[in-house]
């Protein structure tokens, strides 16, 4: 089975620009979560998508938005980039439902640098 | 709110030494608890988990016991190897399905 794949692996943007990060979930998984991991910190929950709808959101402003597609892949969009948005963005997939929803399979991440 | 407090690193050990990384949590209800490991340049991998009090999660020689009375989930390994060098994260499963609250991570370096 294929794991979670993310693209691009690295990218550099300037302040004020917009970025789109992409994620393909593990085969058979229908839920996608996004996390932001700043350097030296633990991952912080951004939001989760289930059945193409946002299903839970962390403490992130509205300029962080996302999509989930019918094939369960997902995008994370960040508008009006700020220097503090520089981080590793992790996508994780899982199966919906109580038993499996917290067992996440993570991708390797997209490293965003904002200059 | 839900949170995890994890022993700060870095931790440096010699091969075959005993490892303990402390983790305590604050949560409402009965959360699931996890340890994830992150190797350089890679995403997080689930190491072990426990879903209820007194459960012991184990994998690859690592163990952790869910202690409700002390709100702890300490990670232990009896004999570490160089290949165990990585960053270890304690995490708590929050009320939102799929949402995990992570500690800040503990960098482990094992020398031969």
């Amino acid at each position: 089975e294929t794991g979670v794949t993310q693209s691009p692996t690295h990218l550099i943007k300037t302040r004020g620009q917009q970025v789109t990060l992409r994620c393909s979930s593990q085969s058979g998984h229908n839920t996608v979560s996004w996390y932001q991991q700043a350097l030296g910190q633990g991952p912080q929950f951004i939001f989760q998508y289930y059945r193409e709808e946002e299903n839970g959101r962390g403490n992130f402003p509205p300029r962080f938005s996302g999509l989930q597609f019918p094939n369960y892949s997902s995008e994370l969009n960040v508008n009006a980039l700020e220097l503090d948005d520089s981080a590793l963005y992790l996508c994780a997939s899982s199966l919906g439902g109580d038993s499996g929803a917290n067992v996440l399979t993570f991708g390797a991440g997209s490293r965003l640098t904002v200059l | 709110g839900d949170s995890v407090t994890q022993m700060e690193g870095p931790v440096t050990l010699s091969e075959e030494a005993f490892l303990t990384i402390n983790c305590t949590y604050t949560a409402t209800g009965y959360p699931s608890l996890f340890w994830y490991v992150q190797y350089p340049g890679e995403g997080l991998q689930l190491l072990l988990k426990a879903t209820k009090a007194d459960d012991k999660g184990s994998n690859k020689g690592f163990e952790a016991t869910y202690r409700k009375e002390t709100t702890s989930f300490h990670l232990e390994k009896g004999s570490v190897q160089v290949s165990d060098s990585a960053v270890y994260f304690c995490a708590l499963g929050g009320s939102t399905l799929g949402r995990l609250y992570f500690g800040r991570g503990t960098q482990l370096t094992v020398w031969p």
Side-chain angles (χ1 to χ4, degrees):
Chain A
E1 61 183 17
T2 57
V4 176
T5 57
Q6 293 186 241
S7 63
T9 54
H10 295 83
L11 69 166
I12 300 173
K13 294 284 188 178
T14 57
R15 205 167 36 176
Q17 284 188 313
Q18 178 266 342
V19 68
T20 297
L21 308 178
R22 296 178 175 81
C23 171
S24 293
S25 59
Q26 179 170 305
S27 177
H29 285 183
N30 57 11
T31 303
V32 173
S33 304
W34 286 92
Y35 286 78
Q36 180 196 66
Q37 185 180 12
L39 197 62
Q41 303 293 319
Q44 298 292 317
F45 176 76
I46 303 175
F47 44 54
Q48 176 184 258
Y49 277 83
Y50 174 62
R51 293 183 174 177
E52 302 178 50
E53 292 192 359
E54 188 179 293
N55 179 35
R57 187 179 184 94
N59 189 26
F60 281 82
R63 59 189 184 84
F64 286 77
S65 63
L67 287 172
Q68 187 181 31
F69 300 100
N71 66 354
Y72 307 127
S73 65
S74 178
E75 286 183 354
L76 164 66
N77 299 290
V78 187
N79 294 322
L81 284 168
E82 301 176 359
L83 297 179
D84 285 349
D85 295 333
S86 295
L88 181 68
Y89 288 86
L90 296 167
C91 172
S93 71
S94 59
L95 280 172
D98 288 344
S99 61
N102 285 130
V103 179
L104 303 181
T105 301
F106 282 85
S110 294
R111 172 75 63 188
L112 171 65
T113 301
V114 182
L115 301 177
Chain B
D2 295 349
S3 67
V4 169
T5 301
Q6 185 175 342
M7 172 178 144
E8 292 197 14
V11 174
T12 303
L13 296 173
S14 298
E15 207 166 24
E16 300 183 3
F18 183 84
L19 168 72
T20 300
I21 300 177
N22 290 337
C23 172
T24 58
Y25 68 89
T26 301
T28 55
Y30 303 97
S32 295
L33 298 172
F34 305 83
W35 278 99
Y36 279 83
V37 59
Q38 187 174 36
Y39 297 101
E42 299 184 14
L44 280 73
Q45 300 175 23
L46 178 66
L47 181 60
L48 54 83
K49 68 170 185 172
T51 58
K52 61 184 188 296
D54 299 326
D55 269 2
K56 177 185 283 188
S58 61
N59 186 27
K60 300 181 181 179
F62 291 90
E63 293 183 339
T65 301
Y66 188 162
R67 301 287 188 197
K68 192 170 186 301
E69 63 276 12
T70 55
T71 61
S72 64
F73 192 57
H74 305 322
L75 182 68
E76 296 182 336
K77 186 175 185 182
S79 177
V80 294
Q81 305 300 312
V82 171
S83 58
D84 294 327
S85 298
V87 181
Y88 291 81
F89 292 93
C90 184
L92 176 154
S95 55
T96 300
L97 295 180
R99 176 172 190 167
L100 296 181
Y101 293 84
F102 285 88
R104 296 183 63 167
T106 301
Q107 173 75 56
L108 170 67
T109 302
V110 180
W111 296 100

